[in-house]
Every structure is written in C-alpha cells, then in structure tokens.
Amino acid sequence: MRRRARSARKLSSCTALLELEIPAGSTLRGSPVTGPFAADLLKARKKRSVYILHDNQTFGKGVANGFRSRANKLDIDVKGFEPWDAKAASYEAIGERIKATGAQSIYFGGIVCNNGVKLLKDIYAVVGKGILFVGPDGWTPFTATAAA
C-alpha cells in the first residue's frame, strides 16, 4: 500500500510543487532525489537557465551534482557551478558573476548553517527580484532563512 505525501505550500520554492509516492512508514530527507526534484520544479516553472552554488561539503555538493545532472537532462542551461566559502565576509562577487550570466534561477546546494543567510542576502542584493531561488532541505528550518 502506498500513501501520497505532499509538501506544504508554505515551504521553500524547491518543494512547493512536488508530489511524491512513498511507501507507508518511509521518510524522505536529504536523499539523492531532492536535487533532481528541484530541477523538475524549474522546468515546471519554465525556467530555462540556472546557476548552481554549493557549500563544497558532502551533502551540498551531492545534491548540487544531482540537480545538475537532472537539469542537463531537462535541457536547462547550467550557467555556472561553484562552491561558496562559508567563512567569506561577502558574496557580492558571486552575485555579480551570476547576474552577468543572465541565469533565471539559482540553486543553492548546501545547508543554511554555512553562512546561508549572508549568502542569500548578498546575492539577492545584487541580482534583485525575478530570479527564482531553490534549494534542498538543508535550508530548513525556514525561520533561519526568513531573515534573508
């Protein structure tokens, strides 16, 4: 017997449109599917390009690679793939590189604890509105990212 699990509408853009079939009693967290599902979301949102950032750690780089693989299969143009330094004082230079590519979305592979709020704030300050930000469950709890 299978049950249907839906992500809550108020969760991140990454998970808001996903509907999964999972076995009863199973859990889905930080698994290899979170990256590819985010690519499916971008395709559903008609985003044709993405810039991928990751925290260069096992989870973050892993989900970023899974996302990149799926994005390539969906013909989403990957404009860049690079790590961010969790100890950096500013991420505006990364934001400038992203802006210069014209990417329609940004995938953040990693966890919020790696200076994620500062990363989001600095990049948003450079790229502005209109770019879809997506990421895996490493960006929870959402109270941590709400400050951005």
Side-chain angles (χ1 to χ4, degrees), residues 46-105:
K46 300 188 183 335
K47 300 298 181 185
R48 297 180 311 275
S49 61
V50 64
Y51 200 100
I52 304 169
L53 297 174
H54 61 85
D55 62 8
N56 216 20
Q57 294 188 2
T58 303
F59 171 78
K61 195 168 186 180
V63 294
N65 278 320
F67 174 88
R68 177 170 56 176
S69 177
R70 181 70 177 155
N72 286 329
K73 289 177 183 172
L74 295 173
D75 291 323
I76 297 172
D77 184 16
V78 176
K79 301 285 192 175
F81 185 90
E82 71 173 285
W84 78 81
D85 178 359
K87 295 177 182 170
S90 173
Y91 299 103
E92 291 173 0
I94 293 175
E96 293 292 344
R97 285 194 295 277
I98 294 169
K99 186 175 182 176
T101 69
Q104 296 178 325
S105 54

Side-chain angles (χ1 to χ4, degrees), residues 7 10 13 16 18-20 23-24 30 34 43 62-63 76 83 87 91 95 107 110 113 120 127 132 134 147:
S7 299
K10 291 188 177 183
S13 297
L18 301 180
E19 188 172 288
L20 312 172
T34 59
K43 188 71 171 182
V63 294
I76 297 172
K87 295 177 182 170
Y91 299 103
Y107 182 79
C113 300
L120 292 175
V127 301
L132 181 63
V134 293

